[in-house]
């Protein structure tokens, strides 16, 4: 009988060790997804403040929010190869992006040409290795949980690049559902 009891204890111990040793650690991605949630809520809050202060959703972008004094002091918008003055003078405000302090996720905000009561935001997670390591899950979870459920928006998994052609500024759907890019359309 002692042999049987010790054998059962050994088997149970081995199973516990095996299951705990090889179980994936999801705490890192969970923390990053929580940060994504707060960033989604912040971006929407910036737009809400802009609209409530008389801003126009047909011209909304991070340059416009920055110029209106809505972005927090430690958050800056930028565009590739441009300075703040260049953004103002050459009309490339739609190309402006935002990165939160301590984050590598890049956000780009433009009006929705199809509906003047909404805006589009492109989320680029490609520089965040934690989110990109589980790209399909991170895109799907962020889009469904944050874009659709919290902001009551529409999630476009294949949104990837910005078309800067004058008059047709929009996000092209030339991506995949695991490339680290997606678009959220938020209705006001």
């Amino acid at each position: 009988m002692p042999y049987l009891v010790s054998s059962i204890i050994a088997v149970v111990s081995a199973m516990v060790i095996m299951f705990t040793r090889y179980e994936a650690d999801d705490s890192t991605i969970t923390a990053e997804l929580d940060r994504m949630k707060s960033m989604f809520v912040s971006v929407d809050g910036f737009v809400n403040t802009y609209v409530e202060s008389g801003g126009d959703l047909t011209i909304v972008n991070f340059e416009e929010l920055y110029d209106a004094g809505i972005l927090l002091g430690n958050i800056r918008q930028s565009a590739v190869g441009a300075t703040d003055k260049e953004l103002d003078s050459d009309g490339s405000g739609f190309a402006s992006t935002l990165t939160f302090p301590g984050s590598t996720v890049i956000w780009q905000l433009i009006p929705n040409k199809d509906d003047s009561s909404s805006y589009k935001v492109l989320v680029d997670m490609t520089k965040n290795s934690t989110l990109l390591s589980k790209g399909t899950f991170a895109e799907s979870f962020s889009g469904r949980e944050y874009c659709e459920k919290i902001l009551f928006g529409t999630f476009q998994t294949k949104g990837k690049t910005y078309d800067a052609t004058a008059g047709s500024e929009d996000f092209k759907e030339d991506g995949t559902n695991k490339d680290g890019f997606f678009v959220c359309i938020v209705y006001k």
Side-chain angles (χ1 to χ4, degrees):
M1 185 66 138
Y3 177 74
L4 179 63
V5 172
S6 64
S7 295
I8 291 172
I9 291 173
V11 168
V12 170
S13 297
M15 288 177 62
V16 167
I17 291 170
M18 184 177 81
F19 288 133
T20 58
R21 183 174 220 184
Y22 296 107
E23 185 176 314
D25 180 17
D26 291 336
S27 62
T28 306
I29 192 147
T30 302
E32 286 298 319
L33 288 171
D34 284 343
R35 288 179 69 194
M36 286 290 292
K37 178 181 179 181
S38 66
M39 289 186 277
F40 262 105
V41 171
S42 294
V43 168
D44 190 53
F46 295 147
V47 174
N48 284 342
T49 302
Y50 174 73
V51 170
E52 289 169 6
S53 64
D56 184 0
L57 274 179
T58 62
I59 61 169
V60 70
N61 60 63
F62 285 123
E63 172 67 19
E64 187 71 20
L65 295 177
Y66 180 76
D67 289 345
I70 293 172
L71 293 183
L72 302 175
N74 61 345
I75 297 175
R76 294 298 305 258
Q77 53 72 41
S78 63
V80 177
T83 66
D84 292 342
K85 297 292 183 203
E86 289 172 323
L87 286 172
D88 288 334
S89 63
D90 69 4
S92 62
F94 293 137
S96 62
T97 60
L98 178 132
T99 306
F100 287 86
S103 176
T104 55
V105 177
I106 300 169
W107 301 76
Q108 185 175 1
L109 174 71
I110 63 170
N112 184 2
K113 299 280 185 191
D114 301 327
D115 183 356
S116 62
S117 65
S118 62
Y119 66 89
K120 291 183 177 184
V121 63
L122 173 70
V123 181
D124 175 359
M125 303 181 297
T126 57
K127 293 182 180 178
N128 186 310
S129 60
T130 302
L131 292 173
L132 200 57
S133 70
K134 296 184 181 187
T136 304
F137 172 74
E139 280 188 44
S140 177
F141 186 85
S142 296
R144 306 252 185 260
E145 294 298 317
Y146 306 144
C147 177
E148 291 181 346
K149 290 184 180 177
I150 292 179
L151 302 180
F152 303 108
T154 303
F155 169 50
Q156 295 179 333
T157 61
K158 296 185 179 181
K160 182 177 180 180
T161 56
Y162 171 66
D163 180 8
T165 308
S168 67
E169 296 93 350
D170 204 352
F171 298 124
K172 296 180 189 175
E173 291 196 55
D174 54 353
T176 66
N177 64 346
K178 60 183 174 185
D179 59 4
F181 292 91
F182 67 92
V183 171
C184 179
I185 303 171
V186 182
Y187 302 93
K188 294 290 164 196

